[in-house]
Amino acid sequence: VVSGGPKSGPAVGTVEILKELPATVEASRSPLVAVLETMTGWEDIPFGIAAVLLPSSQAVDTLSHAAIRARNQHVLLASCDDDSVLAELRKCAGQRLQLSVSAAGVTWSAAEKEVTAAAKASATAAPPTLNVVKPPVPPGWAIGVTSYEKNKKCLGGKSLHLAELWPKNGEYKVPQSVTVPFGIFEKSLLEAL
């Protein structure tokens, strides 16, 4: 199990057997439990997918793009080591199931009507709109690690987490680093050649 799925309750959807993840899922088909043949880990998980289940030969790394997307989107993502268990799940194609994660792995059962209605409403609701605030103009083309904290609104999360690792009392050493802040890439493209 790479991603446990919804924060509360089971992942609910209609089982569909697919070669790979689709780019989009029509509202009339969602929510889906996608039983895939192949996955690279680079895929985006489209809105409307409640769970992605894979054969063990296609298991994705826990830090892969797809795994991170699954966790952020609260999509159940798991692989199955036992082909006979996956074959049983494939026999459920077209059925609405609820899938839960426990110490034993992923289990499933027929979805109850109330759970199905709630899942359908959640899957067809428009995703929330994001209000993105433009970052301030950075102080330079690059920012050194010792200046990350005071320029944090110009930097991304990785840079800020690197600053947190910087030793306070010199008890260990980390490589020197710099970050190209937000907006500098775009600014460089506008520069005359």
Side-chain angles (χ1 to χ4, degrees):
V1 176
V2 175
S3 171
K7 287 182 180 180
S8 62
V12 177
T14 302
V15 177
E16 198 166 308
I17 313 305
L18 303 166
K19 180 170 175 49
E20 58 193 15
L21 272 179
T24 60
V25 175
E26 297 168 21
S28 62
R29 288 175 50 209
S30 69
L32 281 184
V33 171
V35 181
L36 303 182
E37 290 179 28
T38 64
M39 188 171 208
T40 65
W42 287 102
E43 297 87 347
D44 281 324
I45 299 173
F47 187 68
I49 298 281
V52 177
L53 300 163
L54 309 159
S56 61
S57 64
Q58 298 299 310
V60 296
D61 187 270
T62 59
L63 295 177
S64 70
H65 177 79
I68 291 168
R69 292 290 178 138
R71 285 190 293 276
N72 289 342
Q73 294 172 224
H74 307 290
V75 171
L76 173 62
L77 173 59
S79 61
C80 182
D81 293 333
D82 187 341
D83 289 336
S84 64
V85 172
L86 207 52
E88 287 298 314
L89 184 58
R90 286 186 180 110
K91 289 178 187 176
C92 297
Q95 295 178 35
R96 175 103 30 192
L97 299 181
Q98 58 186 40
L99 294 87
S100 300
V101 178
S102 69
V106 177
T107 57
W108 66 87
S109 61
E112 299 167 9
K113 290 189 189 254
E114 304 83 43
V115 174
T116 299
K120 185 75 172 169
S122 173
T124 56
T129 55
L130 295 175
N131 182 19
V132 179
V133 177
K134 186 174 181 178
V137 176
W141 289 80
I143 297 175
V145 70
T146 57
S147 298
Y148 285 1
E149 185 60 34
K150 72 178 177 186
N151 294 294
K152 63 184 172 186
K153 294 193 179 214
C154 300
L155 305 174
K158 285 184 184 178
S159 297
L160 292 175
H161 292 307
L162 282 174
E164 291 171 358
L165 295 174
W166 195 259
K168 304 296 183 228
N169 301 323
E171 61 268 20
Y172 58 91
K173 294 192 182 281
V174 293
Q176 292 292 323
S177 66
V178 297
T179 295
V180 177
F182 292 129
I184 295 299
F185 175 74
E186 293 81 357
K187 184 178 177 180
S188 67
L189 292 177
L190 298 174
E191 291 287 313
L193 294 176

